[in-house]
Amino acid sequence: MPDFNLPIHRLALALAMSIVPAATVMASATHAAAVHGADGSRQDPKTAKSPAPAKAQALNAIRVNARAIDQDVLPTNAQVTGPFGTARSVLETPRSVTPITPALMRAVGFTNLRDIMRIAPDTYTSTDFGAPSLPAIRGQLGEIYVDGLRQISGNNGFGIPLSLNAIETINVIKGPPPVVLGTSQRVGGFVNLHLKRPDLAAAHGSALLESGTWRRHDAQLDYSTPIVKGRSAIRVSVKVKHDGSYYDYAHYRSQDAYLAYRLKPDARSLFDASLEYDHVDFKDIAGINRPTQNLIDHGLYVTGQGVQPNGSSVPGPFALVDPTGLVKIPRHRVLTDPRDVDTVRTWIAHADYRRQLGDNLLLTSTNGYQHLTRNEVANNSFVEIIKGDDTAESRTSLSRTTSAEWLGKQATQQTQAGIDIRYVHVLGFSQFDTEADLPTGLTGPLSNRRIPLTPAQKAQLVMLRPGVYVSPGAQYPRAGQPNGYMISDTTDSTSYQTGVFVQEDLHPDARWDILLGVRSDWYAVSARDPIPPAGQVAAHDSAHHMLNDFNASVTYHPTPATSVYLAASTSGATSNSLGGGTPLGAGNRISPADFASRSRFAEIGFKAAPTQANWYADVSLFSQTRSLRNRNGSLTGIRSRGLDGQWFYHAENGFFANAGFSVLDARYDHSISYQDTRQVLDAFTGNHPGIVAGTGVGAPNFAAFGPSTRRVQGLPSLMASLLTGYRWNSGVGATFSGTWTNAFPLDYLGTVWIRAQYRLDASLSYQFDGGHTEMRLAVDNLTNRKNWAPVFDGGYFGSTDVFPTLPINLMASLRYRF
């Protein structure tokens, strides 16, 4: 049975904290929507000499009509709400944006964040050990926001699957988060997930059953009903997944329950609250090790078990494999173990309040709380246990609109000012210092994959519970050595973040829009070792840092249906680790590098959305520098430049299409880099060059590479996607989609390449019973391509593992709307 042991006292504290700022926020701010109508459309400032009355900013504008959005794919009908102030259309947003509607998600069989690359350009993402948990945008890790609040989990975001049960729509936005959202860790872009909201007007719902290849069985029930029509409503969505897997010893089982409440007490106010519980039991999948070019091109695997310098056949550092042959390895035979365990439980609460205080003054309060626990113990000697990851955030702002003479014209100025308070506490334990994938003979017995700790290794770790050893959270002397312990990301850390921001939105006339934002975030962070070795006093440290953000953009509308924009930003970023916590670094201190990551970003773009043509298109050119956190806590500079574009079309006859392309040049910015092993050939002796030309160095050898401008591994430089669909009057519908990437290096030195590859998917559906019932059959990887993908972001495992993506597979579904 699921564990419903929610820490109620922490939830109550977080919600109490979130309500206080709403009443005490700064008294003067300016911003609202005199330039935008209630539907988000642009208005001529010349007609806005007197600020619009409260009804002009009707809060009904944020209500979602589930049935209308259900068939829509055009970005022109979407709104970007939150990151850039009040709701604005995609045409008016000075960034590259891809809205993903429920119709688009169904068209591509959207199941996880890696599927974003099938719709949004320049979003190629690694597989994250089979559980994609963060988006990659323009060759950089991106953030996840839920209705504008950052969601954190996992070690550097890795390994916590994301449930989409509570999500209605998705906005993919390129570039660092703007000042309203504040400083973050990942600055390539962000995905803003919008929660399902109850419908105040009418009751409706849907039931979904799915069944597919490898015993994948899913069910979902989603229902919304008014309590008092026009005033209050609730919505419930429950999803259960019981999925087998193509990969050996793997599975994915989850139960997610979501409850939402909406209250509109009067014409000037709107209150939304929600609570979600998600329980996931799954397996990490590290793919196939020893990724030689022979494996990529021909599926041939080098056999043999590695031997350490001390003669042990247990996988370990600088082990060498004396090759015994080449075999055609089944693609489902991956680095998994039936004894591995990985379970995650998450509680997420949201409470949002909007109040029109006057004719041109709007109060917004956005609040959230997340509690997460994780228990992962893998037999390859990887441990990540999060006893408690608690995050609470409250953002409150005042927005005001004024109209005044500016350069001889009647201009409209919107100002938003606010305060953002964030609390993060993480108690977690990890151990990854004794992992060693390359020596493991994957074609041998399961015992080859297991890494039991030696007495000497156990002496450098601390026993968390019987049979489970983790790294201490700091260094201590042992056996005459000043640094006698293996350290990972174990931490008991607390972070208090207080941010103050102001954003000005000036419209000199109907053609121009100038957006300026500035923010300062004050961090007070403390960290201690939660599990010091016996006889040692727990190390601890505290630190204070100020991070500043600035973003600016200018948008010009040559015609009402087109826009040209220039956007730029400079921002600070944190460098967190386990669960978003802060570990102790060198000298048992919080590293200043954890707050020294900077991003500089510029983008120029063109957008077109003719109102009568049923299409939308944009293209953008960008340049960005930023820092990547390495596995050892150091920072590596990355410079990315590129071009991307997208096109959407939706005809009244039922045909729709979406196409995207990207050109990316991501390079190290005269910076160092690290890799598990210098190259895959280091794992083999040179005794059998007819099998593999080994170097005899031994692996893993934890390679460090000097400063360079080398291309970042694990990323294609060219990418294209296409999605089309059509529904006939008879109720029959079909979709076809495809993605293509050019060849790219898998490892830092470029000794192994993933060749140019593509994937094609298709579906056939039939609606009947007046459109209430739909049957659908989806076929993924239609041509059964044997494609490959990196296992992890940042390229650290590029010379160690590679992920064999799924072969052709089927998913049948039955959806009933009521």
Side-chain angles (χ1 to χ4, degrees):
M1 292 293 290
D3 179 7
F4 288 92
N5 186 24
L6 173 65
I8 297 297
H9 65 289
R10 292 179 177 173
L11 176 59
L13 176 64
L15 292 180
M17 185 189 81
S18 71
I19 293 172
V20 172
T24 61
V25 72
M26 359 171 120
S28 131
T30 24
H31 186 0
V35 181
H36 299 82
D39 61 353
S41 60
R42 180 177 294 275
Q43 295 180 352
D44 190 340
K46 295 179 180 179
T47 66
K49 294 182 180 180
S50 299
K55 290 184 180 179
Q57 296 182 28
L59 297 176
N60 286 345
I62 66 172
R63 194 178 92 194
V64 175
N65 185 322
R67 292 184 181 275
I69 203 172
D70 191 57
Q71 301 298 327
D72 197 17
V73 300
L74 283 178
T76 48
N77 298 323
Q79 289 188 340
V80 181
T81 305
F84 301 93
T86 52
R88 56 177 65 215
S89 69
V90 173
L91 185 68
E92 297 169 306
T93 302
R95 292 281 187 89
S96 174
V97 181
T98 304
I100 302 177
T101 65
L104 283 174
M105 284 190 271
R106 280 198 307 279
V108 298
F110 204 100
T111 59
N112 59 58
L113 283 177
R114 196 164 193 264
D115 289 327
I116 287 175
M117 59 187 279
R118 299 165 67 181
I119 301 173
D122 219 348
T123 55
Y124 185 85
T125 302
S126 74
T127 59
D128 276 358
F129 290 87
S133 46
L134 282 175
I137 299 174
R138 291 175 171 170
Q140 309 169 58
L141 283 176
E143 291 286 8
I144 297 175
Y145 290 86
V146 179
D147 277 341
L149 295 182
R150 184 182 175 206
Q151 185 165 307
I152 296 182
S153 59
N155 189 345
N156 198 31
F158 150 68
I160 307 293
L162 178 68
S163 172
L164 298 173
N165 174 53
I167 304 306
E168 186 83 70
T169 60
I170 301 172
N171 280 341
V172 182
I173 302 176
K174 312 291 178 59
V179 298
V180 173
L181 300 184
T183 56
S184 65
Q185 180 178 356
R186 305 168 187 96
V187 295
F190 57 99
V191 172
N192 199 12
L193 308 174
H194 294 284
L195 293 169
K196 294 176 178 177
R197 297 302 188 187
D199 190 340
L200 295 173
H204 54 81
S206 65
L208 174 68
L209 295 175
E210 295 182 301
S211 184
T213 315
W214 311 304
R215 303 180 307 281
R216 291 176 294 163
H217 307 298
D218 308 340
Q220 183 182 41
L221 178 65
D222 184 358
Y223 181 67
S224 174
T225 183
I227 301 173
V228 178
K229 186 170 291 189
R231 178 179 173 86
S232 61
I234 61 170
R235 184 168 181 173
V236 178
S237 185
V238 179
K239 186 167 187 177
V240 177
K241 293 177 69 71
H242 195 281
D243 290 359
S245 177
Y246 165 74
Y247 304 105
D248 292 349
Y249 313 118
H251 64 264
Y252 187 101
R253 297 169 191 139
S254 69
Q255 306 88 42
D256 187 285
Y258 173 73
L259 174 65
Y261 171 72
R262 168 163 283 187
L263 173 66
K264 187 179 180 184
D266 53 53
R268 291 175 171 260
S269 304
L270 187 68
F271 174 73
D272 279 299
S274 63
L275 179 65
E276 181 181 9
Y277 170 77
D278 186 38
H279 173 215
V280 184
D281 177 0
F282 69 109
K283 289 290 182 72
D284 284 345
I285 304 170
I288 298 176
N289 64 344
R290 304 179 185 175
T292 63
Q293 197 66 57
N294 225 352
L295 176 68
I296 301 298
D297 294 344
H298 308 295
L300 296 176
Y301 183 84
V302 182
T303 58
Q305 182 73 358
V307 178
Q308 294 187 50
N310 62 8
S312 172
S313 61
V314 173
F318 293 94
L320 273 170
V321 178
D322 194 34
T324 57
L326 285 172
V327 300
K328 192 84 169 179
I329 191 170
R331 288 170 59 86
H332 57 77
R333 187 168 299 171
V334 291
L335 282 166
T336 51
D337 192 303
R339 296 182 184 177
D340 291 349
V341 296
D342 197 351
T343 58
V344 181
R345 287 180 169 85
T346 309
W347 287 92
I348 303 176
H350 280 256
D352 301 333
Y353 178 69
R354 293 164 60 92
R355 172 71 179 176
Q356 196 76 44
L357 299 178
D359 288 347
N360 60 353
L361 191 62
L362 176 68
L363 169 71
T364 304
S365 181
T366 304
N367 314 281
Y369 168 73
Q370 173 183 294
H371 174 75
L372 177 145
T373 61
R374 182 182 194 181
N375 180 50
E376 179 182 13
V377 179
N379 283 268
N380 71 339
S381 196
F382 179 87
V383 177
E384 182 173 294
I385 295 173
I386 300 177
K387 289 286 190 180
D389 182 347
D390 294 281
T391 302
E393 183 173 4
S394 177
R395 181 188 304 123
T396 306
S397 66
L398 281 169
S399 303
R400 186 182 173 192
T401 297
T402 56
S403 181
E405 190 86 5
W406 195 78
L407 297 179
K409 297 182 178 181
Q410 195 69 27
T412 299
Q413 180 180 359
Q414 304 176 346
T415 306
Q416 180 180 11
I419 185 170
D420 197 339
I421 300 173
R422 199 158 186 272
Y423 163 86
V424 179
H425 175 256
V426 177
L427 173 59
F429 310 88
S430 69
Q431 204 295 96
F432 50 69
D433 296 277
T434 55
E435 279 186 285
D437 287 352
L438 274 173
T440 300
L442 196 53
T443 58
L446 280 173
S447 58
N448 281 2
R449 312 178 188 186
R450 293 169 180 164
I451 306 179
L453 298 175
T454 66
Q457 289 170 331
K458 291 179 181 179
Q460 299 177 73
L461 301 169
V462 182
M463 188 172 70
L464 179 65
R465 60 179 187 244
V468 177
Y469 289 80
V470 297
S471 303
Q475 269 293 3
Y476 307 93
R478 188 191 68 85
Q481 299 296 321
N483 298 322
Y485 291 87
M486 291 184 280
I487 305 190
S488 299
D489 286 327
T490 295
T491 188
D492 182 358
S493 67
T494 302
S495 172
Y496 295 92
Q497 173 187 352
T498 302
V500 179
F501 62 90
V502 178
Q503 183 169 260
E504 296 279 349
D505 193 359
L506 177 65
H507 298 261
D509 57 36
R511 292 195 171 190
W512 289 93
D513 180 5
I514 302 170
L515 185 68
L516 301 173
V518 63
R519 174 169 176 146
S520 290
D521 283 277
W522 172 253
Y523 283 86
V525 184
S526 63
R528 64 180 294 273
D529 181 1
I531 188 167
Q536 300 288 347
V537 177
H540 62 89
D541 190 25
S542 60
H544 301 84
H545 293 272
M546 179 74 79
L547 295 182
N548 299 310
D549 288 13
F550 173 76
N551 62 254
S553 65
V554 178
T555 304
Y556 175 67
H557 295 268
T559 70
T562 60
S563 66
V564 180
Y565 66 90
L566 174 64
S569 77
T570 176
S571 58
T574 59
S575 182
N576 308 115
S577 58
L578 185 67
T582 304
L584 294 172
N588 294 342
R589 300 295 182 187
I590 295 173
S591 173
D594 289 345
F595 300 89
S597 181
R598 298 292 302 175
S599 167
R600 291 175 176 83
F601 165 81
E603 177 177 311
I604 184 170
F606 172 78
K607 300 182 179 183
T611 54
Q612 302 301 319
N614 292 331
W615 62 268
Y616 168 87
D618 66 39
V619 62
S620 58
L621 183 70
F622 67 90
S623 175
Q624 183 173 4
T625 60
R626 53 97 187 188
S627 298
L628 168 73
R629 182 184 189 270
N630 296 307
R631 205 164 183 245
N632 64 0
S634 64
L635 297 178
T636 292
I638 304 292
R639 178 181 292 274
S640 298
R641 297 185 179 93
L643 175 74
D644 48 49
Q646 58 187 347
W647 171 77
F648 289 82
Y649 178 74
H650 194 176
E652 294 182 359
N653 65 0
F655 174 79
F656 67 89
N658 158 240
F661 77 93
S662 63
V663 180
L664 175 67
D665 181 27
R667 296 183 177 275
Y668 292 101
D669 190 15
H670 302 279
S671 189
I672 60 174
S673 182
Y674 297 88
Q675 202 165 256
D676 180 67
T677 295
R678 184 173 179 83
Q679 59 176 317
V680 66
L681 298 179
D682 290 351
F684 308 108
T685 68
N687 299 336
H688 304 280
I691 299 175
V692 63
T695 65
V697 173
N701 52 45
F702 315 109
F705 301 98
S708 77
T709 57
R710 186 180 289 270
R711 177 180 172 182
V712 176
Q713 67 270 38
L715 292 170
S717 59
L718 300 174
M719 179 178 172
S721 63
L722 174 68
L723 166 66
T724 62
Y726 187 79
R727 183 166 298 282
W728 288 266
N729 292 334
S730 62
V732 175
T735 65
F736 177 83
S737 64
T739 57
W740 173 87
T741 56
N742 71 331
F744 60 90
L746 183 61
D747 63 322
Y748 179 89
L749 294 176
T751 59
V752 176
W753 283 65
I754 291 180
R755 307 300 189 184
Q757 55 189 20
Y758 66 88
R759 166 178 156 172
L760 302 177
D761 308 302
S763 74
L764 187 66
S765 62
Y766 176 59
Q767 287 186 355
F768 57 97
D769 187 24
H772 289 282
T773 306
E774 180 184 64
M775 296 186 300
R776 185 172 187 268
L777 177 65
V779 185
D780 287 347
N781 196 2
L782 188 65
T783 57
N784 201 28
R785 299 289 299 179
K786 293 178 171 57
N787 293 330
W788 301 91
V791 299
F792 197 64
D793 299 287
Y796 183 81
F797 292 102
S799 60
T800 304
D801 302 308
V802 67
F803 201 93
T805 58
L806 291 175
I808 184 172
N809 61 95
L810 308 177
M811 178 65 78
S813 64
L814 175 65
R815 181 188 298 269
Y816 177 69
R817 307 169 194 274
F818 53 91

